[in-house]
Amino acid sequence: MTDKNSAKERTAIKRTGNNRKKEPEQAERNSSLCPVSKLCGGCQYLDMPYERQLKLKQQQMQKLLGSFCKVYPIAGMENPFHYRNKVHAVFGWKKGEVVSGVYQENTHNLIPVERCMIEDEKSDEIIGTIRNMLKSFKIRTYDEDSGYGLLRHVLIRRGFATNEIMVVLITASPVFPSKNHFVQALRKAHPEITTIVQNINGRGTSMVLGEKEHILYGKGAIEDILCGCRFRISSRSFYQVNPVQAEKLYDKAVELAGLTGKEVVLDAYCGIGTIGIIAARKAKQVIGVELNRDAVRDAIQNAKGNRISNIRFYCNDATRFMSQMAKDGAEADVVLMDPPRAGSTEEFIRAVKAVRAKRVVYVSCGPETLARDLKVFGKLGYQACGVWVYDMFPAVRHVETVALLTRKAQ
Ligand code: SAH
């Protein structure tokens, strides 16, 4: 990568940032599709026609990544509403009523939400039932200032392909009076719920979930199906929130890996093992690495459940693990990587080179950090061959991409 290119890239990042304020993010309809969209702030593009949203995201990716390689046309959704399979509601008390919803951005001001345009509708319905049940069960919502009360949040995950539903009740203390009756009544109102978990989060923290959990009903996790494989998902494991688009993204990622059955593949930041397990049938061996212990546990079970025996998972920091692999003289033909929005590290990328990877498939939900990392890859001898863009978050400004890099001939 030349200095000229990096200067171009910096300008691109700046421009995208500047443009954002000028873009018609706000209502273009006479009334918004959502009565609380301004206060909530979660859906910056909700009232922009969907075609325009896609065009805007495509332009942004072109500006940010177009100097590295070709940016392919964005893949949008047929129905861009109610796509989120994970719904989270904060519980509180306002004017003598139980309310649930979201905190206004950067505040602890609770905005009541009864129906959200991007969340799974069934999950919103269950949250409504819980809201109505609290009074008759005399369960108080947690008050952050006084520290009194029990219920802090409700998290619901639904497997769109299996219809399994997990309800996680996040409480401030382990003592949950009349919990058996509560669970019974909730199941009676919603027989479609397949598991209910109590998660205890007693800390004064902005994290939603605590460390401790009790299963109140069912198996404590749900399963979903993606790309023909079945995945177990527990409350604290990462799972793509838009499975319809995730399926397209993973298909592309595995296709780009160019597997023939002979390759050793490293799946870094592997979560519950999704991409590695889907790729394993076409590879000789897959190694998955992931920091979250629960996710690794899910990944091991997922490999077993899908009868995949050529995959191993390690609970470790991806950079530390890859650097150690390189020090040990291990080699990998393909590296699949899917880091969080903060991206990867130069040390990790150096280790990719040291294990002599020929191909890298980089899945990213943070295009700015992808651009930063592509620059490092370029410096270390990897050429970006293309970026494919997926609209994983309609109505929201985030974008998901998958990039292919190959080692330059030396
Ligand atoms: N590939 C998976 C998960 C992607 S999300 C999927 O498609 O579902 C990113 C994952 O990286 C999360 O599971 C997170 O726990 C994990 N992670 C975050 N920081 C990490 C690190 N330093 N080393 C390894 N894994 C990490």
Short mmCIF file of all heavy atoms in Angstrom, two decimals, residues 346-387:
data_model
loop_
_atom_site.label_atom_id
_atom_site.label_comp_id
_atom_site.label_asym_id
_atom_site.label_seq_id
_atom_site.Cartn_x
_atom_site.Cartn_y
_atom_site.Cartn_z
N GLU A 346 -2.28 -5.71 14.81
CA GLU A 346 -1.14 -5.90 13.90
C GLU A 346 -0.41 -7.20 14.25
O GLU A 346 0.04 -7.92 13.37
CB GLU A 346 -0.20 -4.69 13.99
CG GLU A 346 1.04 -4.89 13.16
CD GLU A 346 1.68 -3.61 12.64
OE1 GLU A 346 1.09 -2.53 12.78
OE2 GLU A 346 2.79 -3.74 12.08
N GLU A 347 -0.33 -7.51 15.54
CA GLU A 347 0.36 -8.73 15.97
C GLU A 347 -0.34 -9.97 15.40
O GLU A 347 0.31 -10.91 14.95
CB GLU A 347 0.33 -8.76 17.50
CG GLU A 347 1.41 -9.58 18.12
CD GLU A 347 1.22 -9.65 19.64
OE1 GLU A 347 0.57 -8.73 20.21
OE2 GLU A 347 1.68 -10.64 20.23
N PHE A 348 -1.67 -9.95 15.42
CA PHE A 348 -2.44 -11.06 14.85
C PHE A 348 -2.12 -11.19 13.35
O PHE A 348 -1.85 -12.27 12.84
CB PHE A 348 -3.94 -10.81 15.05
CG PHE A 348 -4.82 -11.89 14.48
CD1 PHE A 348 -5.22 -12.97 15.25
CD2 PHE A 348 -5.24 -11.83 13.15
CE1 PHE A 348 -6.03 -13.97 14.71
CE2 PHE A 348 -6.04 -12.82 12.61
CZ PHE A 348 -6.45 -13.90 13.39
N ILE A 349 -2.12 -10.06 12.67
CA ILE A 349 -1.89 -10.08 11.21
C ILE A 349 -0.46 -10.56 10.91
O ILE A 349 -0.23 -11.31 9.96
CB ILE A 349 -2.19 -8.69 10.61
CG1 ILE A 349 -3.69 -8.36 10.84
CG2 ILE A 349 -1.87 -8.64 9.12
CD1 ILE A 349 -4.10 -6.93 10.58
N ARG A 350 0.50 -10.18 11.76
CA ARG A 350 1.87 -10.69 11.59
C ARG A 350 1.91 -12.20 11.76
O ARG A 350 2.61 -12.91 11.04
CB ARG A 350 2.81 -10.04 12.62
CG ARG A 350 3.13 -8.61 12.29
CD ARG A 350 4.25 -8.01 13.12
NE ARG A 350 4.44 -6.62 12.74
CZ ARG A 350 5.08 -6.22 11.64
NH1 ARG A 350 5.66 -7.11 10.86
NH2 ARG A 350 5.17 -4.94 11.34
N ALA A 351 1.10 -12.70 12.71
CA ALA A 351 1.06 -14.15 12.93
C ALA A 351 0.40 -14.86 11.74
O ALA A 351 0.79 -15.97 11.39
CB ALA A 351 0.33 -14.46 14.23
N VAL A 352 -0.59 -14.22 11.10
CA VAL A 352 -1.22 -14.80 9.90
C VAL A 352 -0.15 -15.05 8.85
O VAL A 352 -0.09 -16.09 8.21
CB VAL A 352 -2.31 -13.85 9.34
CG1 VAL A 352 -2.79 -14.31 7.97
CG2 VAL A 352 -3.49 -13.74 10.30
N LYS A 353 0.75 -14.06 8.73
CA LYS A 353 1.84 -14.19 7.75
C LYS A 353 2.81 -15.29 8.20
O LYS A 353 3.24 -16.12 7.37
CB LYS A 353 2.58 -12.85 7.65
CG LYS A 353 3.64 -12.88 6.60
CD LYS A 353 4.39 -11.58 6.50
CE LYS A 353 5.45 -11.72 5.40
NZ LYS A 353 6.12 -10.47 5.15
N ALA A 354 3.10 -15.32 9.50
CA ALA A 354 4.07 -16.28 10.00
C ALA A 354 3.59 -17.73 9.87
O ALA A 354 4.40 -18.63 9.73
CB ALA A 354 4.42 -15.95 11.46
N VAL A 355 2.27 -17.96 9.90
CA VAL A 355 1.78 -19.34 9.71
C VAL A 355 1.59 -19.64 8.22
O VAL A 355 1.06 -20.67 7.84
CB VAL A 355 0.47 -19.66 10.49
CG1 VAL A 355 0.67 -19.50 11.99
CG2 VAL A 355 -0.70 -18.81 10.00
N ARG A 356 2.03 -18.71 7.39
CA ARG A 356 2.07 -18.88 5.94
C ARG A 356 0.69 -19.07 5.31
O ARG A 356 0.52 -19.84 4.35
CB ARG A 356 3.01 -20.03 5.56
CG ARG A 356 4.41 -19.89 6.18
CD ARG A 356 5.42 -20.86 5.62
NE ARG A 356 5.41 -20.94 4.15
CZ ARG A 356 5.91 -20.01 3.33
NH1 ARG A 356 6.45 -18.93 3.85
NH2 ARG A 356 5.88 -20.17 2.04
N ALA A 357 -0.32 -18.36 5.85
CA ALA A 357 -1.68 -18.46 5.28
C ALA A 357 -1.68 -17.92 3.85
O ALA A 357 -1.11 -16.87 3.59
CB ALA A 357 -2.66 -17.69 6.14
N LYS A 358 -2.31 -18.67 2.95
CA LYS A 358 -2.37 -18.23 1.56
C LYS A 358 -3.58 -17.33 1.33
O LYS A 358 -3.59 -16.48 0.46
CB LYS A 358 -2.48 -19.45 0.64
CG LYS A 358 -1.28 -20.38 0.71
CD LYS A 358 -1.48 -21.55 -0.24
CE LYS A 358 -0.74 -22.80 0.16
NZ LYS A 358 -1.16 -23.45 1.41
N ARG A 359 -4.64 -17.60 2.10
CA ARG A 359 -5.88 -16.84 1.94
C ARG A 359 -6.39 -16.40 3.30
O ARG A 359 -6.30 -17.16 4.27
CB ARG A 359 -6.97 -17.76 1.41
CG ARG A 359 -7.07 -17.80 -0.05
CD ARG A 359 -8.04 -18.91 -0.42
NE ARG A 359 -8.08 -19.00 -1.85
CZ ARG A 359 -8.99 -18.43 -2.62
NH1 ARG A 359 -10.02 -17.83 -2.12
NH2 ARG A 359 -8.92 -18.50 -3.92
N VAL A 360 -6.99 -15.22 3.31
CA VAL A 360 -7.63 -14.74 4.53
C VAL A 360 -9.04 -14.28 4.15
O VAL A 360 -9.22 -13.55 3.18
CB VAL A 360 -6.86 -13.54 5.14
CG1 VAL A 360 -7.57 -13.01 6.38
CG2 VAL A 360 -5.43 -13.92 5.45
N VAL A 361 -10.03 -14.77 4.90
CA VAL A 361 -11.40 -14.31 4.70
C VAL A 361 -11.76 -13.52 5.94
O VAL A 361 -11.80 -14.07 7.04
CB VAL A 361 -12.36 -15.51 4.49
CG1 VAL A 361 -13.79 -15.01 4.33
CG2 VAL A 361 -11.94 -16.33 3.28
N TYR A 362 -11.97 -12.22 5.76
CA TYR A 362 -12.14 -11.33 6.90
C TYR A 362 -13.60 -10.86 6.95
O TYR A 362 -14.02 -10.05 6.11
CB TYR A 362 -11.18 -10.14 6.73
CG TYR A 362 -11.03 -9.19 7.91
CD1 TYR A 362 -9.86 -8.49 8.13
CD2 TYR A 362 -12.07 -8.98 8.82
CE1 TYR A 362 -9.72 -7.61 9.21
CE2 TYR A 362 -11.94 -8.11 9.90
CZ TYR A 362 -10.76 -7.44 10.07
OH TYR A 362 -10.64 -6.57 11.13
N VAL A 363 -14.37 -11.36 7.92
CA VAL A 363 -15.75 -10.92 8.13
C VAL A 363 -15.70 -9.77 9.13
O VAL A 363 -15.05 -9.88 10.16
CB VAL A 363 -16.62 -12.07 8.68
CG1 VAL A 363 -18.04 -11.58 8.98
CG2 VAL A 363 -16.65 -13.24 7.71
N SER A 364 -16.38 -8.67 8.80
CA SER A 364 -16.25 -7.50 9.67
C SER A 364 -17.59 -6.79 9.85
O SER A 364 -18.35 -6.62 8.90
CB SER A 364 -15.25 -6.53 9.04
OG SER A 364 -15.39 -5.24 9.59
N CYS A 365 -17.83 -6.33 11.07
CA CYS A 365 -19.01 -5.49 11.30
C CYS A 365 -18.56 -4.06 11.58
O CYS A 365 -19.35 -3.21 11.96
CB CYS A 365 -19.85 -6.04 12.46
SG CYS A 365 -18.95 -6.18 13.99
N GLY A 366 -17.28 -3.79 11.39
CA GLY A 366 -16.73 -2.45 11.61
C GLY A 366 -15.89 -2.03 10.42
O GLY A 366 -14.68 -2.25 10.40
N PRO A 367 -16.50 -1.43 9.39
CA PRO A 367 -15.75 -1.12 8.17
C PRO A 367 -14.54 -0.21 8.41
O PRO A 367 -13.54 -0.33 7.71
CB PRO A 367 -16.77 -0.42 7.27
CG PRO A 367 -18.09 -0.53 7.94
CD PRO A 367 -17.91 -1.04 9.32
N GLU A 368 -14.61 0.68 9.40
CA GLU A 368 -13.46 1.57 9.66
C GLU A 368 -12.25 0.76 10.15
O GLU A 368 -11.13 0.98 9.71
CB GLU A 368 -13.80 2.65 10.71
CG GLU A 368 -14.52 3.86 10.14
CD GLU A 368 -16.03 3.68 10.13
OE1 GLU A 368 -16.51 2.65 10.63
OE2 GLU A 368 -16.72 4.58 9.59
N THR A 369 -12.52 -0.20 11.05
CA THR A 369 -11.39 -1.00 11.54
C THR A 369 -10.94 -2.00 10.47
O THR A 369 -9.77 -2.36 10.41
CB THR A 369 -11.73 -1.72 12.86
OG1 THR A 369 -12.92 -2.49 12.68
CG2 THR A 369 -11.90 -0.75 13.99
N LEU A 370 -11.87 -2.41 9.61
CA LEU A 370 -11.48 -3.28 8.49
C LEU A 370 -10.49 -2.53 7.60
O LEU A 370 -9.44 -3.06 7.22
CB LEU A 370 -12.71 -3.71 7.67
CG LEU A 370 -12.38 -4.47 6.38
CD1 LEU A 370 -11.77 -5.84 6.68
CD2 LEU A 370 -13.61 -4.65 5.50
N ALA A 371 -10.82 -1.27 7.30
CA ALA A 371 -9.93 -0.46 6.44
C ALA A 371 -8.55 -0.34 7.10
O ALA A 371 -7.52 -0.51 6.45
CB ALA A 371 -10.54 0.92 6.22
N ARG A 372 -8.54 -0.10 8.40
CA ARG A 372 -7.26 0.00 9.13
C ARG A 372 -6.48 -1.31 9.01
O ARG A 372 -5.28 -1.31 8.70
CB ARG A 372 -7.58 0.30 10.61
CG ARG A 372 -6.38 0.42 11.52
CD ARG A 372 -6.79 0.23 12.97
NE ARG A 372 -7.17 -1.15 13.25
CZ ARG A 372 -7.91 -1.53 14.28
NH1 ARG A 372 -8.37 -0.64 15.13
NH2 ARG A 372 -8.20 -2.81 14.47
N ASP A 373 -7.17 -2.44 9.20
CA ASP A 373 -6.49 -3.75 9.18
C ASP A 373 -6.06 -4.12 7.75
O ASP A 373 -5.02 -4.76 7.57
CB ASP A 373 -7.40 -4.83 9.77
CG ASP A 373 -7.60 -4.65 11.28
OD1 ASP A 373 -6.84 -3.85 11.88
OD2 ASP A 373 -8.49 -5.30 11.86
N LEU A 374 -6.85 -3.74 6.74
CA LEU A 374 -6.47 -4.05 5.35
C LEU A 374 -5.15 -3.36 4.99
O LEU A 374 -4.34 -3.88 4.24
CB LEU A 374 -7.56 -3.61 4.37
CG LEU A 374 -8.85 -4.44 4.31
CD1 LEU A 374 -9.78 -3.92 3.21
CD2 LEU A 374 -8.57 -5.93 4.08
N LYS A 375 -4.96 -2.18 5.59
CA LYS A 375 -3.72 -1.45 5.34
C LYS A 375 -2.53 -2.24 5.90
O LYS A 375 -1.50 -2.37 5.24
CB LYS A 375 -3.82 -0.09 6.04
CG LYS A 375 -3.18 1.00 5.27
CD LYS A 375 -3.68 2.36 5.66
CE LYS A 375 -3.04 2.86 6.94
NZ LYS A 375 -3.55 4.15 7.38
N VAL A 376 -2.71 -2.78 7.09
CA VAL A 376 -1.63 -3.57 7.70
C VAL A 376 -1.39 -4.84 6.87
O VAL A 376 -0.25 -5.22 6.60
CB VAL A 376 -1.98 -3.94 9.17
CG1 VAL A 376 -0.86 -4.77 9.79
CG2 VAL A 376 -2.25 -2.69 9.98
N PHE A 377 -2.49 -5.49 6.46
CA PHE A 377 -2.34 -6.68 5.62
C PHE A 377 -1.55 -6.33 4.36
O PHE A 377 -0.67 -7.08 3.93
CB PHE A 377 -3.72 -7.24 5.22
CG PHE A 377 -4.26 -8.29 6.18
CD1 PHE A 377 -5.38 -8.04 6.95
CD2 PHE A 377 -3.64 -9.53 6.27
CE1 PHE A 377 -5.88 -9.01 7.83
CE2 PHE A 377 -4.13 -10.51 7.13
CZ PHE A 377 -5.25 -10.25 7.91
N GLY A 378 -1.88 -5.18 3.75
CA GLY A 378 -1.19 -4.76 2.52
C GLY A 378 0.30 -4.60 2.77
O GLY A 378 1.13 -5.07 1.98
N LYS A 379 0.64 -3.99 3.89
CA LYS A 379 2.05 -3.75 4.25
C LYS A 379 2.80 -5.08 4.42
O LYS A 379 3.97 -5.19 4.15
CB LYS A 379 2.02 -2.98 5.58
CG LYS A 379 3.28 -2.26 5.95
CD LYS A 379 3.08 -1.43 7.22
CE LYS A 379 3.01 -2.29 8.47
NZ LYS A 379 2.72 -1.55 9.70
N LEU A 380 2.06 -6.10 4.89
CA LEU A 380 2.71 -7.37 5.19
C LEU A 380 2.60 -8.39 4.04
O LEU A 380 2.87 -9.56 4.22
CB LEU A 380 2.12 -7.96 6.47
CG LEU A 380 2.41 -7.14 7.73
CD1 LEU A 380 1.71 -7.71 8.94
CD2 LEU A 380 3.91 -7.07 8.00
N GLY A 381 2.14 -7.92 2.89
CA GLY A 381 2.19 -8.80 1.71
C GLY A 381 0.89 -9.50 1.35
O GLY A 381 0.90 -10.51 0.66
N TYR A 382 -0.25 -8.97 1.81
CA TYR A 382 -1.54 -9.56 1.43
C TYR A 382 -2.34 -8.56 0.60
O TYR A 382 -2.46 -7.38 0.97
CB TYR A 382 -2.35 -9.97 2.67
CG TYR A 382 -1.81 -11.26 3.28
CD1 TYR A 382 -0.74 -11.22 4.17
CD2 TYR A 382 -2.33 -12.49 2.91
CE1 TYR A 382 -0.22 -12.38 4.71
CE2 TYR A 382 -1.81 -13.66 3.44
CZ TYR A 382 -0.76 -13.60 4.35
OH TYR A 382 -0.24 -14.76 4.85
N GLN A 383 -2.88 -9.06 -0.49
CA GLN A 383 -3.62 -8.22 -1.44
C GLN A 383 -5.12 -8.42 -1.23
O GLN A 383 -5.59 -9.57 -1.25
CB GLN A 383 -3.22 -8.71 -2.84
CG GLN A 383 -4.04 -8.16 -3.97
CD GLN A 383 -3.63 -6.73 -4.27
OE1 GLN A 383 -2.44 -6.42 -4.40
NE2 GLN A 383 -4.63 -5.85 -4.36
N ALA A 384 -5.86 -7.34 -1.03
CA ALA A 384 -7.33 -7.47 -0.93
C ALA A 384 -7.88 -7.71 -2.33
O ALA A 384 -7.53 -6.99 -3.27
CB ALA A 384 -7.92 -6.20 -0.33
N CYS A 385 -8.71 -8.74 -2.51
CA CYS A 385 -9.22 -9.09 -3.84
C CYS A 385 -10.66 -8.64 -4.05
O CYS A 385 -11.15 -8.61 -5.17
CB CYS A 385 -9.17 -10.59 -4.06
SG CYS A 385 -7.59 -11.29 -3.69
N GLY A 386 -11.38 -8.37 -2.97
CA GLY A 386 -12.77 -7.94 -3.11
C GLY A 386 -13.44 -7.84 -1.76
O GLY A 386 -13.01 -8.49 -0.79
N VAL A 387 -14.45 -6.96 -1.69
CA VAL A 387 -15.26 -6.84 -0.47
C VAL A 387 -16.71 -7.03 -0.86
O VAL A 387 -17.19 -6.41 -1.80
CB VAL A 387 -15.10 -5.44 0.19
CG1 VAL A 387 -16.02 -5.29 1.39
CG2 VAL A 387 -13.67 -5.19 0.62
#
